[in-house]
Amino acid sequence: MFYVIGLGLCDEKDITVRGLEAVKSCSRVYLEAYTSILMVNKDRLEAFYGKSLILADREMVELESDEILRDAATENVAFLVVGDPFGATTHTDLLLRARDLQIPTQIIHNASILNAAGCSGLQLYNFGQTVSLVFFTDTWKPDSFYDRIAENAKFGLHTLVLLDIKVKEQSEENLARGRKIYEPPRYMSIPTAVNQLLEIESIRKEGILDGDSTLAIALSRVGSIPSSEGSTDDDDGTQRIVAGTLSDLQVQPESMFGKPLHSLIIAGKKLHELEAVYAGAFAVNQENWNRVAKKNILRPNNH
C-alpha cells in the first residue's frame, strides 16, 4: 500500500490515530519538506512515530517518484504531508503515478489551513478561490492573484492568501552554473505580503485592495496553542490572529504577527454580523475595523 498521510498543522501529535498506525506499518516513510513545514523538527517526529524519516524535497518528488513508489505494490510505504494530502497538486500527481503502476493507495486526511482558517471568525462557506502570493523580485511581480481576489470580491467572498515559502531554492547564478548550492529558507511575512498587495493595487487602481477600506486578517502558526491575549513576546511561537484594514496591518511591527508560517485573509464585502464581531476582537484598531465592517455587513434586506 502507498499511503499519503496528512500530519495536520502543528507538531508530532497532530497526526490521526489511523495515520500513526499506518506509519508504524511502513518499511519506508517519506516526509515532504517543501510545500509547507511543521513547527517541530524531524527528530521529534521520528521519536514519536518510532520510524526514521526520509526527507523528500521538490527535486525528489518531481524527478524521483519511481524511487518513492519502489516496492509499494508489495510492502507499505508512506508519504507524509503537512496539513492535508490534497493541499498541493504535487501530491495528486504522485497518486496518479501510483495508479498508473497499479499500486494500491490510501489517503488519510487531516486539518489544513484551508479549513483551520475558520479560526479567524470568518465562515468557511463564505470563502472563494484561494490564491498564492510569491516573493516579488525587481523584474518579476506577477499579479494574477489580483484577478482572483476581484472575482471573489464580486460575490462578497473572502480570499485566503497563501504566502510564499522558499525552501532549498537556488540563486539564479548557481542555477545557471549548475551548482547545487541552496539559499537559506525564507518565509514571507505579513508586512511583505501587505506591501506587495498594496503595490499591485497602486498599479491596477481598481479599488479591490484599497488600503483604507479592505479588511484583512493575518494568521500565524495556526493550530498551535493560542498566544495569551495582548502578548507581544517576540519569541512567542504560538498561534496569533491580527485583524485590521490593510493600511492598519501595513504599519504594525513585524513582531506583532509572530513567527512563520503566515497566511492572510482578505475579507469579502458582504460580512455576516457574527463574522464582523468575532474577527473584530483581533483588530489592532477597533474604531477602523468597526467603521469599515459596518459598511460591509450584510443585512436581511441587502441584495
Side-chain angles (χ1 to χ4, degrees), residues 18 24 61 87 90-91 116 126 141 169 191 234 263 276 279 287 300:
R18 181 177 288 110
K24 289 181 177 295
V61 175
T90 300
H91 312 141
N126 288 338
K141 298 182 179 182
E169 297 277 340
D234 288 357
S263 301
E287 183 179 352

Side-chain angles (χ1 to χ4, degrees), residues 206-261:
E206 297 175 30
I208 300 300
L209 295 172
D210 177 74
D212 295 328
S213 62
T214 302
L215 296 177
I217 304 170
L219 308 175
S220 74
R221 299 210 157 199
V222 172
S224 60
I225 299 170
S227 170
S228 59
E229 186 174 351
S231 172
T232 57
D233 181 0
D234 288 357
D235 293 326
D236 183 11
T238 56
Q239 175 175 303
R240 290 197 188 184
I241 305 173
V242 182
T245 63
L246 286 176
S247 294
D248 286 336
L249 298 185
Q250 186 183 32
V251 298
Q252 302 306 312
E254 191 162 333
S255 60
M256 171 69 74
F257 303 104
K259 293 184 176 181
L261 294 176

Side-chain angles (χ1 to χ4, degrees), residues 34-97:
Y34 65 93
T35 60
S36 189
I37 57 168
L38 282 179
M39 301 173 207
V40 294
N41 60 35
K42 175 171 165 280
D43 293 342
R44 274 182 57 176
L45 298 180
E46 290 177 328
F48 189 77
Y49 301 157
K51 287 284 183 178
S52 295
L53 303 182
I54 304 167
L55 285 180
D57 58 19
R58 183 186 299 274
E59 185 176 346
M60 173 182 280
V61 175
E62 294 181 353
L63 301 179
E64 302 175 27
S65 60
D66 289 345
E67 172 58 24
I68 295 174
L69 297 171
R70 175 175 54 84
D71 298 330
T74 56
E75 54 190 63
N76 291 344
V77 176
F79 187 76
L80 309 183
V81 178
V82 177
D84 186 80
F86 289 118
T89 54
T90 300
H91 312 141
T92 303
D93 182 65
L94 195 56
L95 285 161
L96 289 173
R97 292 171 186 265

